[in-house]
Amino acid sequence: MNGPASTGRPVIGICARTAPVTFQGSDMVVSFALQAHLGFLAAAGCTPLLLPLLPGVEALADRIDGLLIPGGPDLDPTLYGEEPHPGTWAATPDADRVELGLIRAALDAGLPVLGICRGMQLLNVLHGGSLHQHLPEVTGHDGHRPDTPSFTLGTQPLKLEPGSRIAALLDEDEPVTACHHHQAVNRLGTGLTATGWAADGTVEAIEVTDHPFAVGVQWEAGFTPDRRLHQALVHAAGRR
């Protein structure tokens, strides 16, 4: 890998997100990453690298040592063979396809991969799975994404599969998530194992079977002080 050879620190790629902003009076679209992801990864001993979701970015899989797939907008439902629900906000269908190609390249290269929220959903769809497009219609409540005027995290107690990677990482008797999502895994993709669930049965963690480290979590890692998942990703990248 080019990262450790040149800097002594593993390089973790972060899939960029885009958003319109107004800066110094001008409207523009920017690529960005949540600062907490950058800070947590850097503090764990890696060099974070923002990866724009442009055609050809998958070629960078041989220049990084791990991949973080953060939260973001809903996926294009045509990727899993469905029409959009009225509540689905699929803002970046072209970027969805580019991102799936990057994730596929990272997995094929054996890179450690951590998917957060949308990132976990991308892992599932990549493996042929599908999504519940509006979770409150399935669970009967909005506890996973509270219906409030401002951004509010929900809390969900977790049941973890004993012996799973995610159970070893969290190492708690009664872990609780901080979540903000209205979509979730429906049909689990081939080659994936569900390893965490909310009390209402919603899948909250998945792992790619027979991969050294490829984990997806549905909760908002990065919006709380908990750095364990970021540290685990960097540790796995450093082992390579």
Side-chain angles (χ1 to χ4, degrees), residues 14-18 31-38 49-51 70:
I14 304 177
C15 298
R17 298 291 172 245
T18 59
S31 294
F32 68 95
L34 186 67
Q35 185 64 31
H37 291 320
L38 302 175
L49 178 66
L50 190 67
L51 302 178

Side-chain angles (χ1 to χ4, degrees), residues 1-221:
M1 293 294 104
N2 289 345
S6 58
T7 68
R9 294 160 63 94
V11 175
I12 303 295
I14 304 177
C15 298
R17 298 291 172 245
T18 59
V21 301
T22 300
F23 180 69
Q24 294 183 340
S26 295
D27 295 332
M28 62 187 73
V29 176
V30 300
S31 294
F32 68 95
L34 186 67
Q35 185 64 31
H37 291 320
L38 302 175
F40 289 179
L41 291 173
C46 85
T47 300
L49 178 66
L50 190 67
L51 302 178
L53 297 182
L54 299 173
V57 70
E58 68 277 1
L60 293 177
D62 66 355
R63 305 294 297 274
I64 59 177
D65 303 292
L67 182 67
L68 188 151
I69 320 158
D74 297 335
L75 276 67
D76 181 359
T78 63
L79 291 169
Y80 48 94
E82 294 185 10
E83 293 296 318
H85 181 280
T88 294
W89 179 50
T92 56
D94 291 339
D96 291 347
R97 288 157 178 79
V98 170
E99 193 164 15
L100 286 167
L102 173 60
I103 299 167
R104 179 76 274 166
L107 292 173
D108 288 347
L111 298 181
V113 173
L114 172 61
I116 296 172
C117 197
R118 167 189 160 95
M120 172 173 138
Q121 295 167 9
L122 280 158
L123 281 171
N124 189 52
V125 170
L126 177 65
H127 288 82
S130 66
L131 304 177
H132 293 299
Q133 289 195 51
H134 193 57
L135 195 54
E137 295 179 351
V138 179
T139 63
H141 65 82
D142 67 356
H144 294 271
R145 188 183 71 173
D147 186 11
T148 59
S150 60
F151 182 90
T152 303
L153 292 171
T155 57
Q156 295 291 324
L158 282 177
K159 176 183 177 183
L160 302 178
E161 181 66 28
S164 65
R165 186 177 297 278
I166 194 67
L169 289 177
L170 297 186
D171 191 25
E172 297 178 50
D173 291 334
E174 297 180 352
V176 176
T177 69
C179 56
H180 190 85
H181 62 99
H182 82 115
Q183 299 195 338
V185 168
N186 182 6
R187 182 182 67 252
L188 188 66
T190 302
L192 300 177
T193 302
T195 55
W197 302 264
D200 58 20
T202 300
V203 175
E204 291 284 329
I206 61 174
E207 301 178 19
V208 180
T209 311
D210 299 327
H211 187 284
F213 185 100
V215 174
V217 299
Q218 189 58 71
W219 59 90
E220 294 287 356

